[in-house]
Amino acid sequence: MNQESVLSELYALREQVVGVRDSAVASVDGMLIASDTDKVRPDVLAALAAAALGLGKSTSNEVGMGELREVVTRCQSGHIVVYAIRDRSLLVVLGDEGLDIVRLHLQSRPAVSRLADILG
């Protein structure tokens, strides 16, 4: 795994999408791989994102809606979006109130694909 390439993807999301504040890539068991964060603890973000992804996957399986792609949580002052990267990793993105969620989804899908290749 090339951590520089992972960080490059995170930096690109921040540059390309208005409102992206923090992001990280982690394993599905919550181990931090790389982060681009300012105000949050990246190790805690990784662990909580893994829990959110796990809950989303369980719910998706239970209701028979196919493979989980993402979990979106809307908060009073922004969004938390967790994307599945294959079945072993995740991308978590924090956005402020001005987050362009549509652009985030458009930019994140190819980023998730590239991250899957980088992470192997």
Side-chain angles (χ1 to χ4, degrees), residues 26-40:
S27 64
V28 293
D29 61 356
M31 300 303 295
L32 181 66
I33 294 171
S35 67
D36 176 24
T37 59
D38 289 332
K39 298 180 182 176
V40 298

Side-chain angles (χ1 to χ4, degrees), residues 4 15-16 44 51 71 75 77 80 85-86 88 93 98 109:
E4 219 172 90
E15 290 174 13
Q16 296 168 351
V44 174
V71 175
C75 307
S77 58
I80 304 162
I85 303 174
R86 293 193 181 139
R88 297 188 329 213
V93 179
R109 288 186 179 112

Side-chain angles (χ1 to χ4, degrees), residues 55-119:
L55 182 59
K57 283 183 178 183
S58 295
T59 304
S60 174
N61 289 336
E62 181 62 32
V63 298
M65 295 187 82
E67 185 177 351
L68 179 73
R69 292 185 185 169
E70 64 211 32
V71 175
V72 179
T73 305
R74 188 170 180 190
C75 307
Q76 182 178 359
S77 58
H79 294 80
I80 304 162
V81 186
V82 183
Y83 296 94
I85 303 174
R86 293 193 181 139
D87 61 348
R88 297 188 329 213
S89 305
L90 64 87
L91 165 65
V92 57
V93 179
L94 305 182
D96 60 24
E97 306 91 359
L99 177 66
D100 186 341
I101 193 83
V102 172
R103 183 150 177 85
L104 175 65
H105 290 321
L106 290 173
Q107 294 297 323
S108 292
R109 288 186 179 112
V112 164
S113 180
R114 290 188 299 269
L115 285 165
D117 291 340
I118 293 166
L119 297 171

Side-chain angles (χ1 to χ4, degrees), residues 6-14 23-25 34-36 91 115:
V6 174
L7 286 170
S8 179
E9 290 293 336
L10 298 181
Y11 299 153
L13 278 177
R14 188 187 289 250
S23 60
V25 173
S35 67
D36 176 24
L91 165 65
L115 285 165

